[in-house]
Amino acid sequence: MDILLQYLLLFCVCATGGWCIEVVYRGIRHRKVVNPGFLTGCCLPLYGVGGCVLYLISGIKFRMPYAVLDVAMVLLLACIVMTLIELIGGWIAVRCFHVRLWDYSKEWMNFKGLICPKFSLFWTLISAVFYFGLYVPLHVYVEQVIDVPWLILIIGIYVGVFCVDLVHSLRLMQRIKSYATHMRTLVNIDQLKQSAKEHFRQETGRKRPFNFYRMVSNYMTDIHGYRDQIHRKWGNKDEE
């Protein structure tokens, strides 16, 4: 039970921290606020899983002749593992849902648009920040989590909200998969969000709804309706 709570705490902290990193990065790059990932809330499971793995790796002692080599081995292993996690996460989204959660196809030496050297370096920098700045304070809280009732309560609430968000988002991903399969294409999740936002603005005159899930879901319903109307229109012409 202790270990489960410890890694749930790590997951919550890193998933939310990763979401904040992505919001800042995409805000600077695209000059607008973007909700990253496929969930509605402020959580990126990829970072949560990666944070748990980084915590494990940071505790490894390679016993190299020099301390700097020990650190280099930790960072190298972290870079490799984090890149693999990104590859697996992206592959699952593409393979199972026909969705691109990110697209590195324009980056140098990318592999299927899912990983590339540039973002492997990015993961290395994040791993270095985690190792030198976050591992020790996180370790203190992780070791004491079982003795802090209010922290356990927060973890429980976070996990509960995350599970509800995940179920709703996976249902939406299934709808996106159905559309992508019919159109024989891959859906870029960021482009879909932007299109849904613009559609919502045109339909209601407001910038964006509070319920992000409903906004995208309604957009998917509308584009299915438009497609059916076009199909019926051309079908009638063919029959004539």
Side-chain angles (χ1 to χ4, degrees):
M1 187 62 180
D2 292 5
I3 294 178
L4 177 61
L5 283 173
Q6 290 171 2
Y7 278 94
L8 283 177
L9 173 62
L10 283 170
F11 178 87
C12 297
V13 171
C14 295
T16 302
W19 183 87
C20 294
I21 291 173
E22 288 288 337
V23 168
V24 172
Y25 170 76
R26 298 186 186 208
I28 295 174
R29 183 176 181 181
H30 302 293
R31 297 186 179 181
K32 59 185 176 182
V33 178
V34 177
N35 181 20
F38 70 97
L39 297 177
T40 302
C42 52
C43 174
L44 287 179
L46 183 72
Y47 279 85
V49 174
C52 294
V53 174
L54 283 180
Y55 182 81
L56 277 173
I57 294 174
S58 298
I60 296 176
K61 302 298 181 182
F62 288 96
R63 304 187 185 281
M64 302 294 286
Y66 302 100
V68 66
L69 293 179
D70 204 60
V71 173
M73 287 296 295
V74 169
L75 294 182
L76 177 61
L77 181 59
C79 172
I80 294 172
V81 173
M82 292 300 292
T83 300
L84 284 175
I85 291 175
E86 184 176 40
L87 175 62
I88 293 170
W91 180 85
I92 290 174
V94 170
R95 183 71 175 178
C96 298
F97 300 103
H98 299 178
V99 168
R100 280 194 178 277
L101 297 178
W102 55 85
D103 188 3
Y104 302 154
S105 57
K106 295 182 180 179
E107 299 291 343
W108 177 69
M109 287 188 66
N110 73 87
F111 177 72
K112 296 186 181 299
L114 299 176
I115 57 173
C116 67
K118 174 182 175 180
F119 283 88
S120 291
L121 176 61
F122 179 73
W123 287 121
T124 305
L125 294 175
I126 289 181
S127 300
V129 171
F130 184 94
Y131 181 76
F132 291 110
L134 298 178
Y135 175 70
V136 173
L138 271 178
H139 183 69
V140 173
Y141 281 101
V142 165
E143 290 294 315
Q144 298 178 354
V145 63
I146 194 67
D147 300 320
V148 186
W150 64 267
L151 194 54
I152 297 175
L153 176 62
I154 291 176
I155 293 173
I157 294 173
Y158 187 101
V159 172
V161 173
F162 166 75
C163 289
V164 173
D165 192 355
L166 181 63
V167 170
H168 280 284
S169 298
L170 287 177
R171 288 177 180 173
L172 182 58
M173 293 285 276
Q174 286 291 344
R175 294 189 63 187
I176 297 173
K177 177 184 177 181
S178 176
Y179 172 78
T181 301
H182 181 83
M183 300 301 293
R184 299 180 181 178
T185 187
L186 291 177
V187 174
N188 185 301
I189 194 68
D190 289 334
Q191 292 177 359
L192 174 64
K193 289 178 182 179
Q194 185 61 33
S195 297
K197 184 178 178 181
E198 292 174 357
H199 178 74
F200 178 82
R201 186 186 298 119
Q202 293 173 0
E203 292 291 321
T204 65
R206 292 184 290 146
K207 289 186 177 181
R208 64 185 306 166
F210 177 76
N211 191 327
F212 168 79
Y213 169 84
R214 183 174 297 174
M215 177 186 75
V216 179
S217 181
N218 289 343
Y219 175 67
M220 294 299 299
T221 299
D222 288 344
I223 61 177
H224 272 281
Y226 298 152
R227 188 191 66 197
D228 292 340
Q229 289 175 15
I230 293 172
H231 176 74
R232 287 195 298 269
K233 180 179 178 181
W234 286 101
N236 291 336
K237 285 189 175 182
D238 290 341
E239 290 174 2
E240 294 175 358

